[in-house]
Amino acid sequence: MAEERQFTGLGVSPGIAIGPVYIRETGGLEVPEMSIRKADVGAEKERLQKAVSLAQRQVRRLQSRTKSMPGRASEELGFLLEAYQQMLKDSRLVRGAAGRIKDERVNAEAAVQREMSEITATFQAMDDTYIAARLEDIREVGNRIIRNLTRKPLPAFSTAAKGSIIMTDQLTPADMAQVDPSLIAGAASELGGAEGHAAIMARALALPMVLGVHGILQGTSPGDTVIIDGSAGRVVINPTGKTLAAYQRRRESHNRETRRLSSLRSQPAMSRDGTGYVLQANVDLPMEMPMVAQAGAEGIGLLRSEFMFMNRTEPPGEDEQYGVFRDIVQAMKGKPVTIRSLDVGADKPAEAVTSDFGDTAASALGLRGIRLALMQTDILETQFRAMLRAAADGPVRILLPMVSTPSEVMKARDLLKKSATRLKRRKIKVPDPLPPLGAMIEVPGAALAADALAQASDFFAIGSNDLTMYTLATDRANEHVAHLFDPLHPAVLRLIQFSTGAALRARIPISICGEMAGDPRYTALLLGLGLRELSMSPAAIPRVKQRIREMDAVAAAARANLIMDQTDAGRIAILLDDFNALA
Ligand code: PEP
Ligand code: MG
């Protein structure tokens, strides 16, 4: 019997999950294999053909980009890409794969994989260096076709057994967008920080998760039993009977507490001394909507639209986006929905939007959020049109991410007006006046110049995740600096306080939608600083509401004043935790 092994990492999404390990190999392609019926051979061949055509378009795009490269590089790459095109047009790889679909009755991705393996074996037997180098090219082309095939119709992890725990080196937001919570019970990975988007999405899906756990993959086999304790940040592989029983008891008590808190659903978010607050939900994926209703959210304070752009090579069109927005707005039955324009870049790459700019352009300090959107105004205008159409079904606000200057809001407002005009020309009804257009406060410079930004914006939403990251120069998704990511740093708190003051002076609404808003530890401080609206993952709403209901608003404001006189994050933490312990 295998020995129990325990690991410690960052507990980023609370709760306990117990199940069989599903290992996702590092960087490897998951190639699902399945038998198909004779009647499905034609459809499967068509899937293959579509994936090949898409690969041809992708390579063509690369070819046009290489033209602007300096002489030799352009020539070298040009030859290589031309060879790829030839392989995609007609080659043993493509013909062989199509043949296998018919003869071996397997799905297209398995057929490509099998054909690649056979070509590799033949080439290797030739023992020729030139041919060995060609093998790399064949793998590149074959893997591209497989990636295109697996991108959408067969979501990642779809071959996992029910109740599986994902273990991998790194989980991306695009991976998380494909997790089916009815199949996956929890996750752990070697890399990743607590405020990265993969972590945020795990909390949104109430999926227990531990990140930054070194060494979990070594010596672990698929199917091993694993415990994920997302509250304490522990991973136990092959637990003994005694450990298993202890965690089963803790899982039950965690679930009991969650059920108890859900009874607060219909209670108001009101402090003991009678101040009312608004608790809204952050939504990353439409599948979270049932949880929004269950949590009793008073609206959606942040709809992250970028996840519609992931796991695909072409951006979604107006109708597709309108369909998603409309369903969400309708489901909220008159409660406000704040839709954010796409925030691609940094740890949220989306090839469909960034492919024209190269890999590094959309870094955390590069073309991210509104900067990228203003470079691709057709994509932003398409989004605006979809949002404006959805605004006919209920109250909608439009939020811009990563704003650093008022001119970005002004440019976006011009595009919003242009989008409205285009819709009117198509005889589509557009709300009059147009929906409020607001700015995220998540760049320190935007916070420091919040008074000027307030003149251009209809509302503010504080993104404390990025505000902390950029203020403290600490990558939110990097486990090595997770200990430095501290929203209680006085610099971060001053920026929050200053932005709140600027919104008050300009008489525009302000809310906070970073992860800080969903942690009851910070509730008294945020409300004490003057915030009245908090938006968080639906699963966090009951705990924050409970904190508000036991809190005294006047005392919280006094404690916030005391805290803002401090210069040391450690002292601030003590003052806050002491206050929380009192009530
Ligand atoms: C934030 O930065 O706090 C925020 C809410 O935006 P995101 O997490 O999507 O970057
Ligand atoms: Mg942000």
Side-chain angles (χ1 to χ4, degrees):
M1 169 117 181
E3 219 173 279
E4 172 178 305
R5 293 184 301 145
Q6 296 218 9
F7 298 85
T8 305
L10 300 166
V12 301
S13 179
I16 289 170
I18 304 172
V21 170
Y22 176 86
I23 294 183
R24 209 263 305 266
E25 294 295 342
T26 313
L29 276 175
E30 262 190 306
V31 184
E33 255 199 60
M34 55 192 85
S35 311
I36 58 168
R37 293 174 311 158
K38 192 172 175 197
D40 294 332
V41 165
E44 205 54 25
K45 277 186 163 179
E46 207 176 304
R47 271 187 73 224
L48 174 66
Q49 197 42 53
K50 277 196 178 138
V52 170
S53 306
L54 178 57
Q56 286 170 338
R57 281 205 300 281
Q58 290 163 336
V59 175
R60 219 173 293 133
R61 222 184 287 164
L62 288 173
Q63 284 176 309
S64 68
R65 218 179 296 151
T66 54
K67 292 209 178 86
S68 57
M69 288 180 171
R72 272 198 68 72
S74 158
E75 204 177 310
E76 283 289 320
L77 259 175
F79 285 137
L80 188 67
L81 294 173
E82 189 47 42
Y84 289 177
Q85 283 295 20
Q86 292 305 328
M87 259 189 264
L88 286 163
K89 243 183 238 154
D90 185 35
S91 63
R92 173 170 161 197
L93 178 66
V94 176
R95 267 181 284 120
R100 281 174 195 271
I101 293 176
K102 183 166 140 282
D103 302 336
E104 297 170 25
R105 297 259 190 88
V106 283
N107 55 318
E109 33 286 73
V112 176
Q113 178 74 22
R114 286 183 187 180
E115 189 61 29
M116 258 202 309
S117 305
E118 196 178 294
I119 298 176
T120 308
T122 326
F123 275 28
Q124 269 164 349
M126 289 183 190
D127 195 20
D128 179 303
T129 47
Y130 174 80
I131 287 180
R134 299 287 74 73
L135 263 184
E136 274 309 301
D137 301 343
I138 291 171
R139 280 203 198 99
E140 167 62 36
V141 170
N143 283 340
R144 183 176 284 278
I145 299 173
I146 294 176
R147 271 199 303 275
N148 289 345
L149 279 164
T150 48
R151 188 156 271 141
K152 212 166 167 236
L154 287 161
F157 319 121
S158 60
T159 51
K162 199 170 163 53
S164 290
I165 310 278
I166 299 170
M167 295 227 303
T168 182
D169 62 334
Q170 185 165 22
L171 277 161
T172 64
D175 288 334
M176 292 304 293
Q178 295 193 320
V179 161
D180 173 357
S182 68
L183 217 56
I184 304 297
S189 78
E190 300 238 358
L191 308 174
E195 313 304 327
H197 288 91
I200 291 175
M201 292 172 77
R203 287 193 283 275
L205 297 171
L207 197 78
M209 182 151 101
V210 183
L211 299 184
V213 221
H214 300 292
I216 38 166
L217 293 174
Q218 254 165 20
T220 305
S221 310
D224 281 357
T225 299
V226 62
I227 299 169
I228 301 287
D229 181 347
S231 311
R234 290 197 81 70
V235 176
V236 188
I237 299 171
N238 292 322
T240 61
K242 201 168 149 215
T243 310
L244 197 60
Y247 274 97
Q248 276 162 342
R249 280 195 299 277
R250 281 170 60 185
R251 179 171 62 178
E252 191 35 49
S253 98
H254 178 89
N255 293 348
R256 253 199 318 274
E257 171 70 357
T258 306
R259 282 196 296 275
R260 186 186 70 75
L261 284 169
S262 70
S263 65
L264 288 176
R265 189 182 174 282
S266 51
Q267 302 292 321
M270 187 179 283
S271 67
R272 270 202 331 231
D273 51 349
T275 308
Y277 299 94
V278 177
L279 302 187
Q280 297 192 323
N282 291 352
V283 171
D284 305 315
L285 301 167
M287 72 164 132
E288 292 161 25
M289 287 307 289
M291 292 183 231
V292 174
Q294 218 175 318
E298 292 185 44
I300 292 176
L302 172 64
L303 175 58
R304 289 182 168 100
S305 65
E306 51 272 14
F307 296 101
M308 272 192 258
F309 290 73
M310 290 179 179
N311 299 306
R312 59 197 295 165
T313 50
E314 304 292 335
E318 179 187 318
D319 285 345
E320 182 183 339
Q321 292 189 61
Y322 164 60
V324 173
F325 296 153
R326 180 204 52 212
D327 289 352
I328 290 176
V329 170
Q330 283 177 352
M332 291 311 290
K333 299 193 178 93
K335 290 179 179 159
V337 177
T338 302
I339 311 179
R340 188 172 71 181
S341 63
L342 83 166
D343 181 24
V344 161
D347 74 328
K348 286 181 285 192
E351 195 194 334
V353 191
T354 50
S355 63
D356 287 348
F357 297 95
D359 285 346
T360 51
S363 64
L365 299 177
L367 284 180
R368 180 184 168 187
I370 189 66
R371 303 167 180 187
L372 186 63
L374 288 175
M375 299 281 280
Q376 302 211 330
T377 48
D378 49 337
I379 295 184
L380 186 58
E381 282 180 50
T382 304
Q383 274 215 306
F384 280 164
R385 289 198 303 276
M387 292 177 195
L388 288 171
R389 284 171 66 186
D393 290 288
V396 162
R397 304 195 305 174
I398 299 176
L399 179 59
L400 306 172
M402 276 294 286
V403 170
S404 49
T405 68
S407 68
E408 288 164 334
V409 181
M410 292 180 219
K411 281 184 197 151
R413 198 181 290 280
D414 286 344
L415 292 172
L416 184 63
K417 286 182 191 156
K418 194 171 146 204
S419 311
T421 310
R422 274 190 65 177
L423 287 177
K424 281 185 211 154
R425 239 183 268 139
R426 281 163 48 195
K427 306 266 179 287
I428 295 176
K429 212 169 153 273
V430 170
D432 183 18
L434 291 178
L437 182 68
M440 292 283 293
I441 301 286
E442 50 186 352
V443 173
L448 287 167
D451 282 307
L453 194 57
Q455 298 308 313
S457 316
D458 300 325
F459 66 96
F460 281 162
I462 301 175
S464 55
N465 309 332
D466 281 314
L467 191 59
T468 307
M469 165 163 107
Y470 292 117
T471 304
L472 304 180
T474 302
D475 185 348
R476 55 194 271 192
N478 181 337
E479 70 283 7
H480 299 291
V481 286
H483 63 291
L484 295 174
F485 190 96
D486 184 8
L488 290 184
H489 190 295
V492 179
L493 295 181
R494 282 185 191 141
L495 293 176
I496 293 177
Q497 185 186 39
F498 187 76
S499 317
T500 309
L504 221 64
R505 285 189 287 280
R507 296 175 195 279
I508 60 169
I510 182 164
S511 60
I512 178 163
C513 56
E515 291 301 287
M516 212 183 166
D519 186 339
R521 183 183 182 210
Y522 303 122
T523 309
L525 176 57
L526 294 175
L527 303 186
L529 288 175
L531 287 157
R532 291 283 171 271
E533 283 182 36
L534 311 182
S535 190
M536 63 202 77
S537 85
I541 290 180
R543 281 191 171 77
V544 171
K545 192 186 272 187
Q546 170 166 278
R547 179 73 194 102
I548 290 175
R549 291 172 61 81
E550 67 194 14
M551 184 195 88
D552 193 294
V554 175
R559 182 55 57 122
N561 275 338
L562 182 63
I563 284 176
M564 293 313 291
D565 285 338
Q566 310 301 315
T567 51
D568 174 64
R571 174 92 187 120
I572 290 174
I574 292 171
L575 284 172
L576 181 61
D577 293 340
D578 279 355
F579 182 76
N580 288 338
L582 287 176

